[in-house]
C-alpha cells in the first residue's frame, strides 16, 4: 500500500486498489507519470558561505546534487572554516542516508560527477559494511564527546608510525576514524576496549611500549606496532582482520583508506564529522557536549532533547483529540502491549474517514501533518503506533516522525509509503511475521511503485524491488488466528505487482470473535469501525501481518 498527498489533485496508489474491494481507502486514480532519475550533473558548484545553514535534502536527486557541491567545497583550500564544518556534517549525514537506501542508487549515483565517483562509491560501501556489523541499540552509550586533537597533529603521528613500522598513514587514520572519530569518543567499548585506537588493555600492554592507552600518539604508535607484528607488509587484510575480527570491518577500513590515499585533504572533512549512534529510534547525533555516566534509554533521551511539536500541522480539533488520547496513553503506560494497543485504537472508533490528509509530493515540499479528526486506513495505524510510544505532545510528534519516515527525515521521498516499509526500512516499526503463521504462505517478487499497466503510482519515487509474503485468505483458519495478538497490523494483499497491500487495519481479539479495526471508506461506514475478521477476509486475496516491535 502507498499513501499519497493532499498537495496533489490525485490521492494515492492505495486508492487504485481500494476501489476494487468492498472495504478500503477509496478515491480517484492518480496520473501514471513515469519517474525520472534525472541526468548526471556536470561539475557541481562549490558550497557558498550561505550554505552553512542549508538543510539536508530529503529526496535522492537533490541529496546527490548537494553532496557533490559539499564535496567540492571540502576540496577547495579557499573554503572558509565555517562552511567546511557545515559541508562536512552534511556530507556525513548524506552518506548515512544514501548508505541505507540502495534502492536510491539508480537515482543518486548517476548525478555524481565522474571525478568524485570513486570517493562516493568508497564512502557508500564503507557505510553499508559498518551498518551490517551491528544491530540498532536501545540505549545511548556511557560516553563523553570531546574535541579531537587537531588534524595536522594527528597526521604527524600517522606519518611517524608509517616511518617506524611500514603501516600506511591512511590506514592508521582510517582506523582512528572508525574506532573513535579521531578520539572524539571518550569511553570504554562494550568489550572493554579503550583509548582513541580502541585497544584492550592487555593488548596495549604488549604493544604500547609503556605508553598511555589514552594518549593519541602512544595509541597510534601501538597500532602501527600491532599491525606490523601481524604481517601488514605481507597481507594487509589479514593484519586488519586481527585488529577487528570482521571482514566487513576490513572492507570499511580499506574504503576510507582509499579515499584518504586519493586525496589527503579528505582528512579535514572526516575530522569534522560528528558521532552518530545507530539506535532503535534511528540515527541519533550526539552533541559535542554529550556526557553520560551510564547508558541512557534512547526514547528517554530523545524526549528530553527534542522539541518538535511546533513543526507539526495540528488543528485545534486535532489537538483536542490528541490530548485525550495522550491521557489514555498515560493511563495505560504500565499495561501489556495488547491492552495498550486496544485502548489507544479504541479512541478512534467512530472517527470520520478522511483520505488525502498528508501534505507533500514530487513537487510540493513535505509537511509534518497530524490530522486526528479524520483518518484513513494508514494514518489511523500511524497515530496509534505513535501514541503507543508517547505520554506527551512532544513525544507523540517525535514518535510520529520515526513511525512515518525513514531515517527520521521528514520528506516525501523518505515517507514510508508502503505498508511493508514498516519492517523493511529504518527505524523498524514492526516485524513481518506472515511466514511464521502457516506453511501455506506465498512469496511474490514485486516492484513496488511500478504499475502493472505501465508507469508509476507515485511520481518522483524510485521503483523498489521487494519480495512480499502473504497468507491466502482461504488458509486463515483458527490455528492462524490463535497466533495473532491484539495490536498486530494486518494488510490486505495486493495482486498488483506495484503494491504490497491495498488496505490496513489493527487486529483485535474481541469478546465475540476476531476483529479488524480499520478506517472504512464504504458508504455505509465512512468511519473507523470494527469489522469481523472472517467476513473481511472473504473480500481480499490474503493478508500480510506485521507485529509491532513495541
Amino acid at each position: 500500500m502507498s499513501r499519497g498527498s493532499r498537495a496533489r489533485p490525485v490521492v494515492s496508489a492505495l486508492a487504485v486498489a481500494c476501489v476494487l474491494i468492498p472495504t478500503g481507502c477509496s478515491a480517484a486514480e492518480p496520473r501514471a507519470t513515469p519517474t525520472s532519475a534525472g541526468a548526471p550533473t556536470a561539475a557541481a558548484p562549490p558550497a557558498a558561505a550561505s550554505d552553512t545553514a542549508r538543510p539536508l535534502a530529503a529526496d535522492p536527486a537533490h541529496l546527490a546534487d548537494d553532496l557533490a557541491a559539499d564535496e567540492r567545497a571540502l576540496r577547495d583550500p579557499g573554503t572558509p572554516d565555517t562552511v567546511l564544518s557545515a559541508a562536512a556534517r552534511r556530507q556525513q549525514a548524506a552518506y548515512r542516508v544514501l548508505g541505507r537506501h540502495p534502492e536510491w542508487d539508480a537515482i543518486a549515483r548517476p548525478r555524481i560527477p565522474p571525478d568524485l565517483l570513486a570517493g562516493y562509491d568508497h564512502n557508500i560501501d564503507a557505510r553499508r559494511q559498518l551498518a551490517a556489523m551491528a544491530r540498532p541499540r536501545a540505549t545511548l552509550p556511557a560516553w563523553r564527546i570531546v574535541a579531537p586533537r587537531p588534524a595536522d597533529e594527528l597526521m604527524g603521528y600517522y606519518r611517524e608510525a608509517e616511518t617506524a613500522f611500514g603501516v600506511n598513514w591512511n590506514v592508521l587514520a582510517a582506523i582512528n576514524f572508525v574506532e573513535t572519530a579521531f578520539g572524539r569518543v571518550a569511553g570504554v567499548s562494550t568489550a572493554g576496549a579503550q583509548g582513541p585506537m580502541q585497544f584492550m588493555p592487555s593488548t596495549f600492554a604488549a604493544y604500547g611500549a609503556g605508553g598511555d592507552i589514552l594518549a593519541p600518539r602512544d595509541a597510534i604508535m601501538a597500532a602501527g606496532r600491532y599491525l606490523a607484528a601481524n604481517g601488514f607488509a605481507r597481507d594487509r587484510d589479514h593484519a586488519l582482520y586481527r585488529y577487528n575480527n570482521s571482514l566487513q570491518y576490513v572492507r570499511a577500513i580499506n574504503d576510507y583508506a582509499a579515499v584518504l590515499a586519493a586525496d589527503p585533504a579528505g582528512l579535514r572533512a572526516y575530522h569534522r564529522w560528528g558521532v552518530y549512534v545507530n539506535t532503535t529510534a534511528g540515527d541519533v547525533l550526539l552533541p559535542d557536549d554529550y556526557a553520560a555516566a551510564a547508558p541512557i534509554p534512547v526514547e528517554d533521551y530523545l524526549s528530553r532533547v527534542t522539541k518538535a511539536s511546533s513543526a507539526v500541522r495540528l488543528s485545534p480539533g486535532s489537538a483536542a483529540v490528541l490530548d485525550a488520547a495522550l491521557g489514555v496513553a498515560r493511563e495505560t503506560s504500565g499495561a501489556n502491549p495488547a491492552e495498550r494497543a486496544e485502548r489507544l485504537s479504541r479512541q478512534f472508533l467512530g472517527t470520520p474517514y478522511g483520505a488525502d490528509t498528508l501534505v507533500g509530493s514530487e513537487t510540493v515540499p513535505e509537511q509534518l501533518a497530524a490530522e486526528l479528526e479524520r483518518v484513513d486506513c494508514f494514518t489511523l495505524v500511524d497515530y496509534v503506533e505513535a501514541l503507543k510510544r508517547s505520554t506527551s505532545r512532544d513525544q507523540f510528534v517525535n514518535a510520529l516522525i520515526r513511525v512515518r519516515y525513514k531515517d527520521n527525515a521528514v520528506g516525501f521521498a523518505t515517507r514510508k509509503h508502503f505498508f511493508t516499509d514498516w519492517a523493511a526500512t529504518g527505524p523498524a516499526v514492526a516485524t513481518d511475521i506472515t511466514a511464521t503463521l502457516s506453511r501455506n504462505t506465498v512469496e511474490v517478487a514485486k516492484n513496488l511503485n511500478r504499475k502493472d499497466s505501465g508507469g508509476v503510482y507515485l511520481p518522483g519515487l524510485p521503483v523498489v524491488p521487494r519480495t512480499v509474503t502473504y497468507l491466502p485468505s482461504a488458509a486463515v483458519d483458527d490455528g492462524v488466528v490463535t497466533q495473532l495478538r491484539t495490536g498486530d497490523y494486518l494488510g490486505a494483499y495486493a495482486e498488483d505487482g506495484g503494491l504490497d497491500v491495498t488496505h490496513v487495519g489493527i487486529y483485535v481479539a474481541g469478546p465475540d470473535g476476531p476483529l479488524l479495526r480499520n478506517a472504512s471508506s464504504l458508504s455505509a461506514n465512512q468511519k473507523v469501525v470494527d469489522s469481523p475478521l472472517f467476513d473481511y477476509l472473504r473480500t481480499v486475496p490474503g493478508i500480510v501481518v506485521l507485529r509491532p516491535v513495541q
Side-chain angles (χ1 to χ4, degrees):
M1 183 185 75
S2 69
R3 42 182 166 179
S5 160
R6 191 172 65 190
R8 293 189 295 155
V10 294
V11 181
S12 72
L14 171 64
V16 181
C18 283
V19 297
L20 304 179
I21 58 177
T23 317
C25 310
S26 62
E29 181 176 357
R31 297 187 302 272
T33 305
T35 56
S36 171
T41 58
S50 60
D51 281 348
T52 55
R54 173 163 49 84
L56 193 71
D59 66 281
H62 287 103
L63 194 62
D65 292 346
D66 288 350
L67 176 60
D70 284 331
E71 291 279 11
R72 294 273 186 240
L74 291 165
R75 286 165 170 74
D76 183 352
T79 301
D81 191 70
T82 54
V83 176
L84 279 176
S85 295
R89 291 300 178 99
R90 278 194 305 268
Q91 175 199 42
Q92 178 186 18
Y95 279 128
R96 292 187 74 87
V97 172
L98 291 165
R100 272 195 296 274
H101 291 287
E103 73 275 15
W104 288 0
D105 287 353
I107 296 174
R109 191 176 184 275
R111 304 184 76 92
I112 302 299
D115 62 312
L116 300 178
L117 198 54
Y120 173 90
D121 287 341
H122 283 305
N123 275 290
I124 293 293
D125 185 64
R127 278 304 321 146
R128 290 175 180 169
Q129 299 305 317
L130 294 173
M133 288 179 62
R135 293 183 176 181
R137 53 195 301 167
T139 60
L140 296 179
W143 289 345
R144 287 184 303 114
I145 304 302
V146 300
R149 301 303 303 164
D152 289 344
E153 177 183 330
L154 293 174
M155 177 64 90
Y157 301 149
Y158 304 143
R159 292 291 193 186
E160 183 181 358
E162 179 180 52
T163 300
F165 307 113
V167 177
N168 304 76
W169 76 267
N170 52 313
V171 173
L172 293 166
I175 293 172
N176 195 192
F177 174 43
V178 168
E179 295 290 350
T180 63
F182 301 107
R184 195 179 291 273
V185 174
V188 179
S189 78
T190 54
Q194 300 178 29
M197 300 297 277
Q198 287 292 278
F199 272 104
M200 296 297 291
S202 58
T203 306
F204 189 82
Y207 294 94
D212 181 353
I213 196 172
L214 302 179
R217 179 189 177 276
D218 293 347
I220 291 166
M221 296 297 286
R225 289 189 193 92
Y226 180 83
L227 291 168
N230 280 280
F232 184 90
R234 298 186 306 275
D235 189 339
R236 168 170 156 169
D237 286 357
H238 170 76
L240 289 173
Y241 186 84
R242 291 299 303 274
Y243 202 98
N244 189 321
N245 296 341
S246 165
L247 293 175
Q248 292 158 327
Y249 177 87
V250 172
R251 186 160 156 179
I253 293 298
N254 282 329
D255 278 326
Y256 286 130
V259 173
L260 293 172
D263 183 5
L267 182 64
R268 69 175 183 169
Y270 289 157
H271 191 264
R272 287 171 164 81
W273 281 20
V275 177
Y276 281 90
V277 179
N278 180 19
T279 78
T280 51
D283 272 356
V284 174
L285 176 62
L286 301 184
D288 291 342
D289 60 352
Y290 176 87
I296 305 172
V298 65
E299 297 286 349
D300 291 351
Y301 177 81
L302 291 175
S303 68
R304 292 203 307 265
V305 303
T306 308
K307 298 291 183 182
S309 58
S310 61
V312 69
R313 289 170 56 100
L314 192 67
S315 68
S318 289
V321 174
L322 175 58
D323 289 342
L326 286 169
V328 175
R330 288 189 288 270
E331 290 174 12
T332 60
S333 60
N336 65 60
E339 179 184 351
R340 197 151 196 253
E342 196 284 322
R343 287 280 307 277
L344 287 169
S345 61
R346 193 195 312 166
Q347 303 308 300
F348 290 92
L349 282 173
T351 298
Y353 176 86
D356 211 20
T357 61
L358 302 186
V359 179
S361 72
E362 179 186 23
T363 57
V364 176
E366 184 84 3
Q367 295 184 41
L368 179 62
E371 173 59 86
L372 286 82
E373 292 182 278
R374 57 193 184 102
V375 296
D376 64 21
C377 58
F378 212 147
T379 57
L380 169 65
V381 297
D382 261 359
Y383 299 142
V384 170
E385 186 61 28
L387 282 164
K388 286 165 52 182
R389 303 157 180 251
S390 313
T391 57
S392 68
R393 279 197 194 182
D394 283 326
Q395 285 184 336
F396 171 79
V397 174
N398 292 330
L400 183 61
I401 292 171
R402 296 196 292 277
V403 168
R404 184 176 289 170
Y405 297 99
K406 305 169 189 175
D407 308 315
N408 300 329
V410 176
F412 180 68
T414 52
R415 196 194 303 169
K416 296 174 184 175
H417 292 274
F418 297 94
F419 178 54
T420 50
D421 284 345
W422 275 22
T425 64
V429 175
T431 301
D432 191 333
I433 64 166
T434 313
T436 70
L437 299 173
S438 170
R439 295 181 179 179
N440 298 315
T441 54
V442 179
E443 290 187 354
V444 180
K446 288 179 172 276
N447 289 299
L448 300 182
N449 199 37
R450 179 181 294 158
K451 291 183 178 183
D452 286 348
S453 58
V456 296
Y457 282 113
L458 295 172
L461 296 181
V463 172
V464 180
R466 182 171 297 161
T467 298
V468 175
T469 301
Y470 78 98
L471 181 61
S473 291
V476 182
D477 55 19
D478 289 340
V480 170
V481 171
T482 58
Q483 299 177 68
L484 300 179
R485 301 176 187 171
T486 293
D488 285 346
Y489 297 109
L490 274 58
Y493 174 73
E495 294 179 313
D496 189 302
L499 300 172
D500 51 6
V501 303
T502 58
H503 187 66
V504 298
I506 303 167
Y507 174 77
V508 175
D512 299 319
L515 303 170
L516 184 71
R517 186 162 289 166
N518 66 107
S520 170
S521 63
L522 280 176
S523 58
N525 294 324
Q526 287 290 306
K527 61 185 178 182
V528 178
V529 298
D530 282 340
S531 304
L533 179 62
F534 286 111
D535 290 350
Y536 181 77
L537 288 172
R538 284 194 286 270
T539 71
V540 298
I543 56 172
V544 177
V545 183
L546 303 186
R547 177 157 291 164
V549 296
Q550 65 180 65

